[in-house]
Structure formats: structure tokens, C-alpha cells
Amino acid sequence: MEIPNRKGKIIGIKEEKPWVEKYRPNSFEEIVSQSVAINNLREFTLSNDMPHMIFTGPAGTGKTSTALIIAKSAIKKQNYYSNVLELNASDTVRMDFVRSVIKSFVNQSLAIDSDILKFIILDEADNIPSQVQQALRRIIEKSSSNVKFILLCNYINKIIDPIVSRCAVFRFVYLTKIEIEKRLKFILNKEKLQIPKTHENKLFSTLYFISGGDLRKAINALQMAVSLDLIEKLDLSEILKISGFLDDSTLERLIDAINSKDIKEVKKIFDTFENVDSRNFIKQILGHIDDFPIHVNNYNSFMAFVGDIDYRISQGADDKIQLVALISQLIGCIET
Ligand SMILES: Nc1ncnc2c1ncn2[C@@H]1O[C@H](COP(=O)(O)OP(=O)(O)OP(=O)(O)O)[C@@H](O)[C@H]1O
Ligand SMILES: [Mg+2]
């Protein structure tokens, strides 16, 4: 089976173009949610004095799409490649690269067509090393007024202050269930696919749960479910599994085993885990926290422990060891 890559794009299912790309919004009107950011942006793009910009917020909420809409609306198609420079963090790790590529792109604009806007879109700007950000800051300062930087990031606190203070910051937020459902229905409609009315509620609730507010994840999960024929018979367990979550029945068995402190059974269930993403697993356990009779005195320390485990996993610790530690701690916190 095809596995989504880091950005969640599906490769190869029925040779079909990934819906996330096929349905990337092409205008402000098509951007779902983000009304605060979009309303302000609209005003800026109409004005003659567009600032440098930072779009910050969680994955799959429309930052790259919005940056592309701005660039495309300001620049004619035939000039696009000479007037828009798209870089991502891995291109910018080397300072000499930043200097030479951005500088030559910026300077080139001084020589010719000096009133035409140029955009430099820096994706994953929060992964640019801070020394390189310092170099970038000087380049931004010195750039002429027709060159606009758009920095995209998930964590604005990783961007150095001197850059932040030179940019207008737009915050993107997770989409609500209603907004995700609306966009998924729009896509299904375009694809001429119908979801049986009886399945709608459960399907969209599961897709929203999988997405956690990230529309890219929701669209990918829907496309995989359609490609693998999981909608007609509404196989929610399989939909959860292919998205890296535990299916409901395994989760229920695990909760029972934890509550009866049956370590052997817990281990047996753990050994059946396939394709379960550790972060997703933690989210599922937290989603069911009320099903565990945790003693009130243990609640805070357990939650602090969950935070530690999450951090260790983010730093590359062995997932399985961490999840076993989490479950052991949980078992220890349960009232007997
Ligand atoms: N607000 C939105 N409105 C409409 N479609 C969206 C929105 N957010 C995400 N999408 C869909 O998800 C895909 C990915 O969105 P986009 O690349 O803009 O996310 P991003 O915020 O840049 O995420 P990342 O932080 O991972 O780079 C888009 O191609 C589009 O299909
Ligand atoms: Mg992006």
C-alpha cells in the first residue's frame, strides 16, 4: 500500500493526481477558514505598499496555498518563473547559497523592470539556521521596495526577532469540523462521488478526528478511503489504520487491558501494532482519558509524563519504548 510522504501527499494510488494538489485553492475565495488572515491580506494586496509577510500556523491550513495565490495574482503567468523564487529550508541551510541565490534574484530586479513586484517565498523558514537568518535579515533590509519576502513557518518563535519585526504576521489556525466537512464535500461533489446519507456523519467525524484540523490530512485520508473502496461498506477501522491510528476495537481491548492491569494482554496488543504513529496513539489515549479511573492525585503527574514522552519522541527517542513507558505509567496511576 502507498504511504503518504512527510507532507502527506499520496503517491501512486490509481495513478491519480493527489487531491491535495488538484484542489489546491486558486483564489482567496477558495481558502476555507482563516478569515482574519485573509481579510487583512486582501487589503494589503490591493494597496500599493505590500509589506514583507510571515504566514505562521499549523500544517495543512493554507499557508503555502495563500502565498502562491498572492504571487500568482500579482504576477503575469509568463513572468512567473523570473519573478517568483520559491525556496525551502533545505535550500537555505548553506549561507553562501542564500547569499548568492537570493542576492542575485534581488539585484536582478534592480536592473530591469524595477516597478514589477518580485516575490521570494521561503517555505519552512523556521528551519533556517539562525546564522543564516541573520544574513537573510540584512538581505531583506537592503532589498528594493518591489521585492517582497513571504516566510512560511509552523513556529514563529524560531524566527529571529529582527526578521519578525520587519514583517506583517498572519496567523493561520486549524480548521473546524464544519469547515473541513465543507471542503471534503466540495471535493466529493467535483469528483462526482456520493456518500450514502447513512454513512455521512460517521465518515466525516472520523476524517475530522484523523485530521485534527489539518485539511491536507483530511483530504489525503478521504482520497485513500475512496481509492481503497472503504466508503461503500464504511470500513472506519481500515480508514483509521491507513492513517496511522489504532482501530476502535483494538483501542477498546487495550483500554480494558490497561484498566484490568493485564500487562500480558497489553503486550500482546502492542505486538499487533502496524503502521501506528506514536503521536496519533498518544492523542487517542488522551481522547479516552476519562475511561481510565486515574486517581486524582496522580492525574497531574501523568499529564506531565505524557508531555515528557511527546517531547522525547519529537527528539527521536525509540517510539515503542516510549509508548510502553507511557502505558506502564498509566497502569501505575490507575486506582485499584
Ligand atoms: N484553508 C484552506 N482552504 C482550502 N484548502 C486548503 C486549506 N488549507 C489546506 N488546504 C488543502 O491542503 C493542501 C495543503 O495546504 P497548504 O500547502 O497550503 O498547507 P500549509 O499551511 O502550507 O502546510 P505546511 O505547514 O505543512 O506547509 C492544499 O493543497 C489544499 O488542498
Ligand atoms: Mg506549506
Side-chain angles (χ1 to χ4, degrees):
M1 192 194 72
E2 293 76 3
I3 302 210
N5 68 12
R6 202 180 65 74
K7 282 280 184 187
K9 285 171 189 156
I10 306 163
I11 303 154
I13 286 181
K14 287 191 181 168
E15 303 296 320
E16 207 178 343
K17 192 175 177 186
W19 288 353
V20 280
E21 287 308 328
K22 191 170 171 188
Y23 296 103
R24 192 184 271 287
N26 287 311
S27 63
F28 285 142
E29 289 68 37
E30 255 195 87
I31 296 276
V32 183
S33 170
Q34 320 306 353
S35 52
V36 178
I38 298 297
N39 288 339
N40 290 326
L41 271 169
R42 250 204 208 101
E43 295 201 1
F44 276 123
T45 47
L46 292 176
S47 78
N48 295 327
D49 195 19
M50 201 188 292
H52 302 300
M53 291 173 269
I54 296 178
F55 298 168
T56 181
T61 52
K63 300 180 297 297
T64 301
S65 308
T66 305
L68 297 177
I69 290 169
I70 293 176
K72 281 181 185 151
S73 69
I75 287 166
K76 289 201 190 96
K77 211 173 179 182
Q78 66 267 31
N79 296 335
Y80 191 83
Y81 289 102
S82 56
N83 288 284
V84 180
L85 179 64
E86 288 176 37
L87 294 174
N88 81 15
S90 52
D91 302 323
T92 56
V93 170
R94 289 185 5 252
M95 185 150 21
D96 50 346
F97 183 88
V98 176
R99 286 226 173 86
S100 66
V101 175
I102 300 187
K103 264 186 163 173
S104 69
F105 180 81
V106 168
N107 292 338
Q108 181 193 343
S109 73
L110 286 175
I112 36 168
D113 50 25
S114 63
D115 55 341
I116 294 184
L117 281 179
K118 290 204 161 212
F119 290 95
I120 298 177
I121 301 174
L122 290 175
D123 213 343
E124 300 170 32
D126 40 2
N127 287 330
I128 302 176
S130 53
Q131 268 184 330
V132 180
Q133 289 194 32
Q134 293 291 353
L136 188 64
R137 160 216 178 155
R138 282 187 290 279
I139 297 171
I140 295 178
E141 261 168 5
K142 286 186 187 154
S143 65
S144 70
S145 62
N146 66 320
V147 177
K148 305 297 176 194
F149 284 80
I150 305 180
L151 279 68
L152 312 178
C153 64
N154 297 125
Y155 305 103
I156 194 165
N157 56 1
K158 290 196 185 155
I159 310 270
I160 59 169
D161 282 346
I163 291 187
V164 176
S165 71
R166 281 169 179 77
C167 298
V169 177
F170 298 91
R171 291 175 198 278
F172 284 64
V173 292
Y174 277 130
L175 281 75
T176 62
K177 181 168 185 279
I178 293 171
E179 290 161 340
I180 294 228
E181 190 170 330
K182 189 174 146 208
R183 187 67 178 172
L184 296 182
K185 282 184 173 160
F186 168 85
I187 292 174
L188 287 166
N189 196 27
K190 288 271 176 200
E191 292 291 319
K192 303 195 169 38
L193 292 167
Q194 273 207 322
I195 306 291
K197 272 268 172 278
T198 46
H199 294 358
E200 263 193 5
N201 257 340
K202 281 187 180 161
L203 175 68
F204 289 123
S205 295
T206 302
L207 292 174
Y208 174 67
F209 170 73
I210 288 169
S211 80
D214 171 339
L215 184 50
R216 183 196 288 118
K217 273 192 193 162
I219 296 173
N220 278 334
L222 176 66
Q223 188 175 15
M224 284 202 274
V226 169
S227 303
L228 299 171
D229 265 338
L230 302 174
I231 307 254
E232 196 65 28
K233 52 182 188 290
L234 196 62
D235 190 343
L236 294 177
S237 291
E238 200 56 30
I239 295 177
L240 282 164
K241 275 200 227 164
I242 56 170
S243 303
F245 287 86
L246 268 188
D247 61 281
D248 282 342
S249 74
T250 312
L251 185 61
E252 257 171 48
R253 279 199 297 128
L254 184 66
I255 293 171
D256 288 346
I258 292 171
N259 282 340
S260 47
K261 304 200 174 203
D262 185 346
I263 311 256
K264 258 194 187 161
E265 179 67 8
V266 169
K267 194 171 168 305
K268 225 162 90 189
I269 299 171
F270 250 77
D271 289 340
T272 65
F273 280 16
E274 282 172 44
N275 191 33
V276 177
D277 176 279
S278 46
R279 288 245 168 100
N280 289 346
F281 176 78
I282 296 174
K283 268 187 231 156
Q284 282 185 295
I285 290 290
L286 288 183
H288 283 268
I289 201 71
D290 294 340
D291 296 345
F292 303 103
I294 298 176
H295 192 280
V296 67
N297 295 341
N298 294 332
Y299 194 84
N300 287 353
S301 64
F302 177 68
M303 285 304 170
F305 191 72
V306 174
D308 283 348
I309 296 284
D310 184 55
Y311 178 74
R312 287 183 215 160
I313 291 173
S314 77
Q315 297 301 301
D318 183 280
D319 289 45
K320 195 157 183 193
I321 294 177
Q322 295 308 316
L323 295 188
V324 170
L326 178 83
I327 298 302
S328 309
Q329 184 81 5
L330 180 53
I331 290 176
C333 291
I334 285 172
E335 284 182 304
T336 38

